[in-house]
Amino acid sequence: MSNKIVTFGEVIMRLSPPGNRTMKQSHEMEFFFGGTELNVASSLATMGCDVRHISSVSDDFVGESAVSFIKSFGIDTTFINKNDHPLGLYFLEVGSSVRASRIAYNRLNGSFANIKSEQIDWKKALEGCQYFHWTGISPGISESAYESLKKGLQTARELGIEVTTDPAYRSNLWKYGKNGNEVLKELVSYSTIFIGGVNEINEILGTQFSSDKEGFIEACKELKQQIPSIHKIFDKIRIGVTASSQQTQGRALVEDNYFETELLEVNPVVDRIGTGDAFAAGLIYGLINFDDEKALKFANAACAIKHTIPGDINYCSVEDILEVMNGDSGGRIKR
């Protein structure tokens, strides 16, 4: 089996006024292609991994541009299909200091929301795959996206593939009649590595664990008891001082062993979007190449450094991330 990583999720366009302007004061917008799982795929490809992304985009010049963008990373787009619905998009006002960022989505009737499960040959799509990554965003967008993902997860289990999940629950999704928490619990049961913390576990299990160290450990143990397929749990902690100043830390429970990283401080923050995806990508890369503790440190460093990159994607190399992980965070010019 190769080290191929397969991701499944929406390709979405982000539109933002330049700098830290509000929509009301701007007459132009910058755009970026992204999407939670695509951000993970692009970051992993930047780090030299063999990646395939599965999705559906609009059958027009916007969709063509999105696919060209994805191909520019060296990502395999064989299983990205097209349909007659527009590409999903969202608007972002980037905050600063005490002013928070704001997001408005337009995605629930887009091309990914209308993906068809029968269009994906999952055995071929997952051929040679070592890791399959999904998030809770995808099944919340539409029933057909949920059905497509479930077939993929069932196939991954049959093939013995490691499945990483960031089961983020977004209440502004889930408009098609299913209970989001119940669906996420079902889909997490096909997964093996959980990327999330107490909040995510409480949402899925309906529990009320505290967010301190002891609460995290107890929550992880309860998750593993209720969903035995999960054997590793990794959590990203972000402490927001202001919109422009953040601290990041990682913690984990692996085979009842707890470990955590040091805090990394980012000030000033350039862009918070995609930082969790950078953590997930760093973790997957780390699990392939390092032991679990070093993988967590690498993931936390990847998360921290993404705060300094505009757009949705972490463009930093393995060497860049390792330098931050090893304490070189002074930002001196490299000549």
Side-chain angles (χ1 to χ4, degrees):
M1 184 178 288
S2 75
N3 286 338
K4 182 183 288 293
I5 302 152
V6 175
T7 55
F8 170 82
E10 184 175 27
V11 180
I12 192 168
M13 179 187 285
R14 162 180 159 183
L15 295 163
S16 288
N20 296 99
R21 295 180 185 176
T22 66
M23 290 278 289
K24 291 178 180 178
Q25 68 182 135
S26 182
H27 299 285
E28 57 184 340
M29 302 257 260
E30 300 173 327
F31 78 88
F32 306 89
F33 290 112
T36 299
E37 300 86 357
L38 177 59
N39 297 342
V40 174
S42 302
S43 181
L44 284 164
T46 299
M47 291 187 276
C49 295
D50 183 8
V51 187
R52 170 177 290 157
H53 188 63
I54 302 171
S55 191
S56 188
V57 300
S58 55
D59 189 11
D60 54 21
F61 67 90
V62 181
E64 289 175 6
S65 298
V67 172
S68 295
F69 172 78
I70 297 166
K71 285 181 176 179
S72 72
F73 290 89
I75 295 170
D76 183 348
T77 62
T78 303
F79 293 89
I80 296 180
N81 59 59
K82 296 180 179 180
N83 61 43
D84 292 331
H85 296 268
L87 196 75
L89 56 87
Y90 73 98
F91 300 89
L92 169 70
E93 288 182 345
V94 180
S96 180
S97 187
V98 297
R99 178 170 61 86
S101 298
R102 299 197 301 175
I103 291 177
Y105 289 102
N106 186 351
R107 71 197 310 178
L108 295 182
N109 294 300
S111 50
F112 183 76
N114 287 277
I115 194 170
K116 303 300 181 188
S117 60
E118 61 269 18
Q119 293 176 316
I120 307 168
D121 185 335
W122 278 105
K123 286 195 174 179
K124 284 188 178 180
L126 294 174
E127 186 177 4
C129 173
Q130 182 182 8
Y131 281 83
F132 176 42
H133 180 71
W134 68 278
T135 81
I137 303 296
S138 294
I141 291 175
S142 69
E143 189 160 13
S144 59
Y146 154 70
E147 291 170 349
S148 299
L149 174 59
K150 185 176 178 179
K151 284 188 178 181
L153 291 171
Q154 290 171 333
T155 306
R157 170 170 285 183
E158 291 171 10
L159 297 175
I161 295 167
E162 288 276 21
V163 177
T164 57
T165 177
D166 174 3
Y169 175 74
R170 297 289 186 270
S171 58
N172 62 329
L173 300 175
W174 302 101
K175 304 296 187 185
Y176 60 94
K178 286 191 178 293
N179 182 296
N181 296 324
E182 291 177 1
V183 169
L184 290 176
K185 184 175 182 180
E186 174 199 17
L187 298 180
V188 168
S189 70
Y190 291 99
S191 306
T192 58
I193 298 171
F194 190 92
I195 307 173
V198 174
N199 289 342
E200 290 75 20
I201 294 171
N202 284 340
E203 289 280 3
I204 291 169
L205 302 185
T207 49
Q208 294 182 331
F209 292 103
S210 62
S211 59
D212 57 16
K213 176 182 173 180
E214 290 72 22
F216 171 74
I217 292 172
E218 291 304 311
C220 290
K221 289 180 178 179
E222 182 66 22
L223 178 68
K224 291 168 70 175
Q225 181 176 340
Q226 291 199 34
I227 306 179
S229 63
I230 299 294
H231 62 98
K232 296 180 181 181
I233 301 165
F234 297 90
D235 182 26
K236 168 187 62 65
I237 303 170
R238 178 166 48 207
I239 303 167
V241 182
T242 68
S244 304
S245 178
Q246 302 282 315
Q247 294 176 322
T248 68
Q249 185 180 29
R251 59 183 177 180
L253 192 77
V254 177
E255 296 178 355
D256 293 332
N257 294 318
Y258 173 86
F259 49 91
E260 63 184 32
T261 72
E262 295 181 351
L263 278 169
L264 291 176
E265 185 169 349
V266 186
N267 188 3
V269 170
V270 173
D271 198 329
R272 273 186 54 178
I273 301 296
T275 53
D277 306 329
F279 180 91
L283 180 65
I284 294 168
Y285 180 91
L287 291 171
I288 292 172
N289 292 281
F290 311 132
D291 62 36
D292 292 331
E293 290 197 45
K294 187 173 180 181
L296 181 65
K297 291 179 181 178
F298 187 83
N300 189 47
C303 175
I305 203 170
K306 169 60 190 73
H307 285 77
T308 71
I309 306 294
D312 286 26
I313 294 165
N314 187 7
Y315 285 88
C316 291
S317 67
V318 172
E319 291 72 22
D320 294 331
I321 298 168
L322 285 172
E323 285 185 359
V324 173
M325 186 186 84
N326 292 327
D328 184 4
S329 57
R332 296 186 62 185
I333 296 174
K334 296 177 181 179
R335 301 184 186 275

